[in-house]
Amino acid sequence: MKRDSSGTKLQHGHPNLRSPYMDTAAIIRACNLLEQAEVKSYDLLSSGSNYVFISTMVKDGTEIKAIYKPRRGEVPLWDFPDGTLYRREYAAFMVSQALKWDLIPPTVIRDGPFGIGSMQWFVGTMNRVKHCSQTTNDLSALKQVALFDYLVNNADRKAGHFLEDEDGRLWVVDHGLTFNTVPKLRTVLWDFSGQTVPKKLLADVKILREKLKHEKQLSESLHRLLEAAEVKALESRINKIIEKPVFAYPESRRSVPWSWI
C-alpha cells in the first residue's frame, strides 16, 4: 500500500476513496496528483476510435496510473466540433462533482507527451461491469447514471463504460460525446423510461440549477470548456427534468448504441 506526500493511503484504483461516497479532500488530492505528476511511460490502448493511453506517473515518490486522451488523437466527427472531446470529458466530471454524485473518476486537463488532453485517474479493476447484473443489484446507482446521461446529453453510453473498482464501487467513464446542442442521448440504460425520477435525484438537480445561476466559478468554467449554446442546452435539460421528472424514452433506433459493449 503506497502513500502520497501527505501520508494518505493510496488504494490501487483511487486515493483513499471508499464506496459509496468520496471525500472532497481526496478528490482534490487526486486532481493535484494528475496535474503535477511527471509522466514516466505511456502505452497505447488498442480499442477505441481515438488515441487513448494508459500513463504511469510519479510525484514525490508516489506512482499512479491515469488514462490520457490527447486532443491530437481525436478523430474528427461531423456532429461535434473538432478537438473538443477532451474538454467534454472534463466538463462531465465538473457536472458530476457539482451534483455531488461522484460518478466519474478524478479528471483534469493538462499537457502530456502528445500535447494537451484529459487525464483521468485509472480505476483499478480488470472487470467491466455486466449491465444485467448491475441492473439487478443496484437500481439506484443505475438510475443516477441514467439521469446524468440525460443531463449531459451523452451520445455514447455503452455497457463497457461501467467499471467496478476493488471496493465494489461503480464508476462510469468515456464522456467525450456529451453536451451537444442537439438531443443525442444514446445509451444502454433505457430500463427506467417513463418512471418517475427519485426525489433525492431531483433535489440534487435543483441544487445544480442554483449552482449554475449563482456559482460564478462553475458557470465560467463550463463556458470556457463548452460553447455558450451548449451550456444553455444543459440548462434547458435541467429545467425540463425539474418540470417533468420522468426518465426519457428512446427516440429512435439510434438511441441504442452499436455495439452494445
Side-chain angles (χ1 to χ4, degrees), residues 94-100 204 206-224 231 234-235:
M94 290 192 65
V95 172
S96 172
Q97 291 305 113
L99 285 162
K100 294 188 176 181
D204 292 339
K206 291 178 179 178
I207 291 172
L208 174 62
R209 180 168 67 176
E210 293 306 304
K211 286 183 176 180
L212 286 171
K213 287 180 180 178
H214 303 297
E215 292 190 7
K216 187 176 181 180
Q217 183 177 359
L218 175 62
S219 177
E220 289 182 350
S221 295
L222 287 176
H223 276 90
R224 285 194 298 268
V231 177
L234 167 63
E235 294 168 347

mmCIF file of all heavy atoms in Angstrom, residues 94-100 204 206-224 231 234-235:
data_model
loop_
_atom_site.group_PDB
_atom_site.id
_atom_site.type_symbol
_atom_site.label_atom_id
_atom_site.label_comp_id
_atom_site.label_asym_id
_atom_site.label_seq_id
_atom_site.Cartn_x
_atom_site.Cartn_y
_atom_site.Cartn_z
ATOM 1 N N MET A 94 -16.956 17.844 -14.046
ATOM 2 C CA MET A 94 -17.364 19.005 -13.264
ATOM 3 C C MET A 94 -18.842 18.944 -12.891
ATOM 4 O O MET A 94 -19.221 19.261 -11.759
ATOM 5 C CB MET A 94 -17.073 20.287 -14.041
ATOM 6 C CG MET A 94 -15.613 20.633 -14.186
ATOM 7 S SD MET A 94 -15.403 22.323 -14.795
ATOM 8 C CE MET A 94 -16.071 23.251 -13.433
ATOM 9 N N VAL A 95 -19.685 18.528 -13.829
ATOM 10 C CA VAL A 95 -21.116 18.433 -13.542
ATOM 11 C C VAL A 95 -21.383 17.337 -12.525
ATOM 12 O O VAL A 95 -22.187 17.507 -11.596
ATOM 13 C CB VAL A 95 -21.912 18.199 -14.840
ATOM 14 C CG1 VAL A 95 -23.383 17.891 -14.527
ATOM 15 C CG2 VAL A 95 -21.824 19.421 -15.752
ATOM 16 N N SER A 96 -20.699 16.204 -12.659
ATOM 17 C CA SER A 96 -20.842 15.126 -11.686
ATOM 18 C C SER A 96 -20.468 15.602 -10.288
ATOM 19 O O SER A 96 -21.154 15.293 -9.305
ATOM 20 C CB SER A 96 -19.957 13.936 -12.088
ATOM 21 O OG SER A 96 -19.924 12.950 -11.079
ATOM 22 N N GLN A 97 -19.387 16.378 -10.196
ATOM 23 C CA GLN A 97 -18.962 16.891 -8.889
ATOM 24 C C GLN A 97 -19.929 17.940 -8.356
ATOM 25 O O GLN A 97 -20.201 17.991 -7.156
ATOM 26 C CB GLN A 97 -17.548 17.469 -8.996
ATOM 27 C CG GLN A 97 -16.463 16.427 -9.227
ATOM 28 C CD GLN A 97 -16.474 15.352 -8.169
ATOM 29 O OE1 GLN A 97 -16.774 14.184 -8.446
ATOM 30 N NE2 GLN A 97 -16.180 15.718 -6.942
ATOM 31 N N ALA A 98 -20.455 18.790 -9.241
ATOM 32 C CA ALA A 98 -21.416 19.812 -8.805
ATOM 33 C C ALA A 98 -22.693 19.168 -8.265
ATOM 34 O O ALA A 98 -23.310 19.682 -7.326
ATOM 35 C CB ALA A 98 -21.734 20.752 -9.961
ATOM 36 N N LEU A 99 -23.074 18.036 -8.847
ATOM 37 C CA LEU A 99 -24.232 17.293 -8.354
ATOM 38 C C LEU A 99 -23.921 16.531 -7.069
ATOM 39 O O LEU A 99 -24.828 16.042 -6.396
ATOM 40 C CB LEU A 99 -24.690 16.288 -9.421
ATOM 41 C CG LEU A 99 -25.436 16.849 -10.635
ATOM 42 C CD1 LEU A 99 -25.412 15.843 -11.768
ATOM 43 C CD2 LEU A 99 -26.878 17.200 -10.261
ATOM 44 N N LYS A 100 -22.626 16.388 -6.772
ATOM 45 C CA LYS A 100 -22.137 15.569 -5.656
ATOM 46 C C LYS A 100 -22.521 14.111 -5.842
ATOM 47 O O LYS A 100 -22.804 13.385 -4.871
ATOM 48 C CB LYS A 100 -22.647 16.110 -4.313
ATOM 49 C CG LYS A 100 -22.091 17.485 -3.972
ATOM 50 C CD LYS A 100 -22.451 17.917 -2.555
ATOM 51 C CE LYS A 100 -21.797 19.265 -2.225
ATOM 52 N NZ LYS A 100 -22.112 19.713 -0.841
ATOM 53 N N ASP A 204 -31.189 16.993 -6.081
ATOM 54 C CA ASP A 204 -29.813 17.295 -6.485
ATOM 55 C C ASP A 204 -29.776 18.109 -7.777
ATOM 56 O O ASP A 204 -28.950 19.018 -7.925
ATOM 57 C CB ASP A 204 -29.024 15.997 -6.672
ATOM 58 C CG ASP A 204 -28.799 15.255 -5.362
ATOM 59 O OD1 ASP A 204 -28.889 15.881 -4.295
ATOM 60 O OD2 ASP A 204 -28.528 14.039 -5.423
ATOM 61 N N LYS A 206 -32.069 20.175 -8.789
ATOM 62 C CA LYS A 206 -32.484 21.536 -8.439
ATOM 63 C C LYS A 206 -31.327 22.322 -7.845
ATOM 64 O O LYS A 206 -31.161 23.519 -8.124
ATOM 65 C CB LYS A 206 -33.660 21.487 -7.463
ATOM 66 C CG LYS A 206 -34.959 20.976 -8.084
ATOM 67 C CD LYS A 206 -36.079 20.914 -7.049
ATOM 68 C CE LYS A 206 -37.377 20.416 -7.679
ATOM 69 N NZ LYS A 206 -38.471 20.309 -6.681
ATOM 70 N N ILE A 207 -30.516 21.667 -7.034
ATOM 71 C CA ILE A 207 -29.339 22.331 -6.467
ATOM 72 C C ILE A 207 -28.354 22.684 -7.581
ATOM 73 O O ILE A 207 -27.751 23.763 -7.569
ATOM 74 C CB ILE A 207 -28.679 21.423 -5.408
ATOM 75 C CG1 ILE A 207 -29.588 21.299 -4.182
ATOM 76 C CG2 ILE A 207 -27.312 21.973 -5.003
ATOM 77 C CD1 ILE A 207 -29.120 20.289 -3.163
ATOM 78 N N LEU A 208 -28.194 21.776 -8.550
ATOM 79 C CA LEU A 208 -27.311 22.065 -9.685
ATOM 80 C C LEU A 208 -27.780 23.307 -10.426
ATOM 81 O O LEU A 208 -26.963 24.154 -10.816
ATOM 82 C CB LEU A 208 -27.271 20.869 -10.633
ATOM 83 C CG LEU A 208 -26.493 21.073 -11.935
ATOM 84 C CD1 LEU A 208 -25.016 21.357 -11.672
ATOM 85 C CD2 LEU A 208 -26.651 19.856 -12.859
ATOM 86 N N ARG A 209 -29.079 23.439 -10.616
ATOM 87 C CA ARG A 209 -29.610 24.629 -11.299
ATOM 88 C C ARG A 209 -29.234 25.900 -10.551
ATOM 89 O O ARG A 209 -28.822 26.900 -11.168
ATOM 90 C CB ARG A 209 -31.127 24.532 -11.452
ATOM 91 C CG ARG A 209 -31.719 25.739 -12.155
ATOM 92 C CD ARG A 209 -33.162 25.529 -12.560
ATOM 93 N NE ARG A 209 -34.051 25.412 -11.408
ATOM 94 C CZ ARG A 209 -35.385 25.292 -11.509
ATOM 95 N NH1 ARG A 209 -35.941 25.235 -12.703
ATOM 96 N NH2 ARG A 209 -36.123 25.192 -10.425
ATOM 97 N N GLU A 210 -29.344 25.866 -9.231
ATOM 98 C CA GLU A 210 -28.982 27.035 -8.432
ATOM 99 C C GLU A 210 -27.478 27.311 -8.501
ATOM 100 O O GLU A 210 -27.057 28.473 -8.545
ATOM 101 C CB GLU A 210 -29.424 26.835 -6.987
ATOM 102 C CG GLU A 210 -30.943 26.796 -6.810
ATOM 103 C CD GLU A 210 -31.611 28.022 -7.397
ATOM 104 O OE1 GLU A 210 -31.229 29.142 -6.998
ATOM 105 O OE2 GLU A 210 -32.491 27.865 -8.265
ATOM 106 N N LYS A 211 -26.688 26.270 -8.511
ATOM 107 C CA LYS A 211 -25.244 26.459 -8.605
ATOM 108 C C LYS A 211 -24.869 27.118 -9.933
ATOM 109 O O LYS A 211 -23.998 27.999 -9.978
ATOM 110 C CB LYS A 211 -24.523 25.115 -8.462
ATOM 111 C CG LYS A 211 -24.496 24.570 -7.049
ATOM 112 C CD LYS A 211 -23.702 23.269 -6.972
ATOM 113 C CE LYS A 211 -23.592 22.775 -5.551
ATOM 114 N NZ LYS A 211 -22.811 21.508 -5.458
ATOM 115 N N LEU A 212 -25.496 26.697 -11.015
ATOM 116 C CA LEU A 212 -25.198 27.290 -12.314
ATOM 117 C C LEU A 212 -25.598 28.761 -12.360
ATOM 118 O O LEU A 212 -24.984 29.559 -13.073
ATOM 119 C CB LEU A 212 -25.898 26.514 -13.434
ATOM 120 C CG LEU A 212 -25.295 25.153 -13.772
ATOM 121 C CD1 LEU A 212 -26.196 24.388 -14.732
ATOM 122 C CD2 LEU A 212 -23.903 25.314 -14.383
ATOM 123 N N LYS A 213 -26.612 29.124 -11.579
ATOM 124 C CA LYS A 213 -27.067 30.513 -11.542
ATOM 125 C C LYS A 213 -26.168 31.378 -10.669
ATOM 126 O O LYS A 213 -25.906 32.543 -11.000
ATOM 127 C CB LYS A 213 -28.503 30.584 -11.014
ATOM 128 C CG LYS A 213 -29.567 30.087 -11.975
ATOM 129 C CD LYS A 213 -30.933 30.213 -11.341
ATOM 130 C CE LYS A 213 -32.035 29.734 -12.271
ATOM 131 N NZ LYS A 213 -33.389 29.817 -11.625
ATOM 132 N N HIS A 214 -25.690 30.822 -9.558
ATOM 133 C CA HIS A 214 -25.081 31.656 -8.532
ATOM 134 C C HIS A 214 -23.601 31.391 -8.280
ATOM 135 O O HIS A 214 -22.946 32.222 -7.651
ATOM 136 C CB HIS A 214 -25.860 31.495 -7.216
ATOM 137 C CG HIS A 214 -27.313 31.826 -7.340
ATOM 138 N ND1 HIS A 214 -27.768 33.095 -7.670
ATOM 139 C CD2 HIS A 214 -28.427 31.055 -7.211
ATOM 140 C CE1 HIS A 214 -29.093 33.102 -7.715
ATOM 141 N NE2 HIS A 214 -29.513 31.870 -7.439
ATOM 142 N N GLU A 215 -23.078 30.238 -8.712
ATOM 143 C CA GLU A 215 -21.659 29.956 -8.522
ATOM 144 C C GLU A 215 -20.890 30.353 -9.780
ATOM 145 O O GLU A 215 -20.887 29.624 -10.780
ATOM 146 C CB GLU A 215 -21.431 28.491 -8.174
ATOM 147 C CG GLU A 215 -21.962 28.114 -6.799
ATOM 148 C CD GLU A 215 -21.536 26.725 -6.356
ATOM 149 O OE1 GLU A 215 -20.711 26.095 -7.063
ATOM 150 O OE2 GLU A 215 -22.043 26.270 -5.320
ATOM 151 N N LYS A 216 -20.277 31.503 -9.718
ATOM 152 C CA LYS A 216 -19.616 32.089 -10.884
ATOM 153 C C LYS A 216 -18.522 31.185 -11.429
ATOM 154 O O LYS A 216 -18.379 31.043 -12.652
ATOM 155 C CB LYS A 216 -19.034 33.453 -10.505
ATOM 156 C CG LYS A 216 -18.462 34.239 -11.675
ATOM 157 C CD LYS A 216 -17.991 35.614 -11.203
ATOM 158 C CE LYS A 216 -17.429 36.418 -12.372
ATOM 159 N NZ LYS A 216 -16.967 37.757 -11.926
ATOM 160 N N GLN A 217 -17.763 30.561 -10.550
ATOM 161 C CA GLN A 217 -16.650 29.727 -10.993
ATOM 162 C C GLN A 217 -17.128 28.547 -11.832
ATOM 163 O O GLN A 217 -16.546 28.230 -12.871
ATOM 164 C CB GLN A 217 -15.850 29.220 -9.795
ATOM 165 C CG GLN A 217 -14.627 28.398 -10.190
ATOM 166 C CD GLN A 217 -13.811 27.967 -8.990
ATOM 167 O OE1 GLN A 217 -14.145 28.292 -7.852
ATOM 168 N NE2 GLN A 217 -12.747 27.229 -9.227
ATOM 169 N N LEU A 218 -18.208 27.882 -11.398
ATOM 170 C CA LEU A 218 -18.746 26.753 -12.153
ATOM 171 C C LEU A 218 -19.242 27.192 -13.515
ATOM 172 O O LEU A 218 -18.923 26.588 -14.544
ATOM 173 C CB LEU A 218 -19.881 26.087 -11.368
ATOM 174 C CG LEU A 218 -20.624 24.960 -12.083
ATOM 175 C CD1 LEU A 218 -19.692 23.802 -12.405
ATOM 176 C CD2 LEU A 218 -21.807 24.482 -11.240
ATOM 177 N N SER A 219 -20.035 28.261 -13.539
ATOM 178 C CA SER A 219 -20.587 28.739 -14.806
ATOM 179 C C SER A 219 -19.487 29.170 -15.773
ATOM 180 O O SER A 219 -19.504 28.804 -16.955
ATOM 181 C CB SER A 219 -21.540 29.913 -14.538
ATOM 182 O OG SER A 219 -22.042 30.438 -15.743
ATOM 183 N N GLU A 220 -18.516 29.930 -15.271
ATOM 184 C CA GLU A 220 -17.438 30.399 -16.143
ATOM 185 C C GLU A 220 -16.581 29.243 -16.646
ATOM 186 O O GLU A 220 -16.142 29.251 -17.803
ATOM 187 C CB GLU A 220 -16.582 31.422 -15.393
ATOM 188 C CG GLU A 220 -17.288 32.751 -15.164
ATOM 189 C CD GLU A 220 -16.401 33.760 -14.468
ATOM 190 O OE1 GLU A 220 -15.300 33.366 -13.988
ATOM 191 O OE2 GLU A 220 -16.786 34.944 -14.402
ATOM 192 N N SER A 221 -16.352 28.253 -15.806
ATOM 193 C CA SER A 221 -15.559 27.101 -16.229
ATOM 194 C C SER A 221 -16.251 26.344 -17.345
ATOM 195 O O SER A 221 -15.616 25.952 -18.339
ATOM 196 C CB SER A 221 -15.301 26.171 -15.043
ATOM 197 O OG SER A 221 -14.496 26.793 -14.072
ATOM 198 N N LEU A 222 -17.553 26.124 -17.217
ATOM 199 C CA LEU A 222 -18.285 25.411 -18.263
ATOM 200 C C LEU A 222 -18.310 26.206 -19.559
ATOM 201 O O LEU A 222 -18.215 25.629 -20.650
ATOM 202 C CB LEU A 222 -19.712 25.106 -17.794
ATOM 203 C CG LEU A 222 -19.836 24.006 -16.730
ATOM 204 C CD1 LEU A 222 -21.289 23.858 -16.283
ATOM 205 C CD2 LEU A 222 -19.302 22.673 -17.242
ATOM 206 N N HIS A 223 -18.396 27.531 -19.459
ATOM 207 C CA HIS A 223 -18.382 28.356 -20.663
ATOM 208 C C HIS A 223 -17.005 28.344 -21.337
ATOM 209 O O HIS A 223 -16.909 28.526 -22.558
ATOM 210 C CB HIS A 223 -18.794 29.794 -20.335
ATOM 211 C CG HIS A 223 -20.278 29.992 -20.311
ATOM 212 N ND1 HIS A 223 -21.039 29.829 -19.171
ATOM 213 C CD2 HIS A 223 -21.155 30.316 -21.295
ATOM 214 C CE1 HIS A 223 -22.306 30.070 -19.451
ATOM 215 N NE2 HIS A 223 -22.406 30.359 -20.721
ATOM 216 N N ARG A 224 -15.939 28.132 -20.561
ATOM 217 C CA ARG A 224 -14.616 28.002 -21.176
ATOM 218 C C ARG A 224 -14.460 26.653 -21.889
ATOM 219 O O ARG A 224 -13.757 26.557 -22.893
ATOM 220 C CB ARG A 224 -13.517 28.160 -20.126
ATOM 221 C CG ARG A 224 -13.294 29.591 -19.662
ATOM 222 C CD ARG A 224 -11.992 29.724 -18.896
ATOM 223 N NE ARG A 224 -11.985 28.923 -17.682
ATOM 224 C CZ ARG A 224 -12.367 29.383 -16.501
ATOM 225 N NH1 ARG A 224 -12.797 30.633 -16.374
ATOM 226 N NH2 ARG A 224 -12.325 28.600 -15.436
ATOM 227 N N VAL A 231 -23.960 25.207 -23.144
ATOM 228 C CA VAL A 231 -24.279 25.449 -21.733
ATOM 229 C C VAL A 231 -25.761 25.782 -21.590
ATOM 230 O O VAL A 231 -26.433 25.308 -20.669
ATOM 231 C CB VAL A 231 -23.409 26.578 -21.162
ATOM 232 C CG1 VAL A 231 -23.801 26.872 -19.716
ATOM 233 C CG2 VAL A 231 -21.931 26.219 -21.242
ATOM 234 N N LEU A 234 -27.712 22.633 -21.759
ATOM 235 C CA LEU A 234 -27.639 21.939 -20.474
ATOM 236 C C LEU A 234 -28.658 22.519 -19.506
ATOM 237 O O LEU A 234 -29.396 21.775 -18.836
ATOM 238 C CB LEU A 234 -26.227 22.059 -19.893
ATOM 239 C CG LEU A 234 -26.047 21.657 -18.423
ATOM 240 C CD1 LEU A 234 -26.359 20.178 -18.221
ATOM 241 C CD2 LEU A 234 -24.633 21.995 -17.936
ATOM 242 N N GLU A 235 -28.719 23.829 -19.425
ATOM 243 C CA GLU A 235 -29.677 24.483 -18.531
ATOM 244 C C GLU A 235 -31.111 24.131 -18.922
ATOM 245 O O GLU A 235 -31.962 23.916 -18.045
ATOM 246 C CB GLU A 235 -29.464 25.984 -18.561
ATOM 247 C CG GLU A 235 -28.112 26.422 -17.976
ATOM 248 C CD GLU A 235 -27.786 27.871 -18.266
ATOM 249 O OE1 GLU A 235 -28.471 28.477 -19.127
ATOM 250 O OE2 GLU A 235 -26.847 28.397 -17.633
#
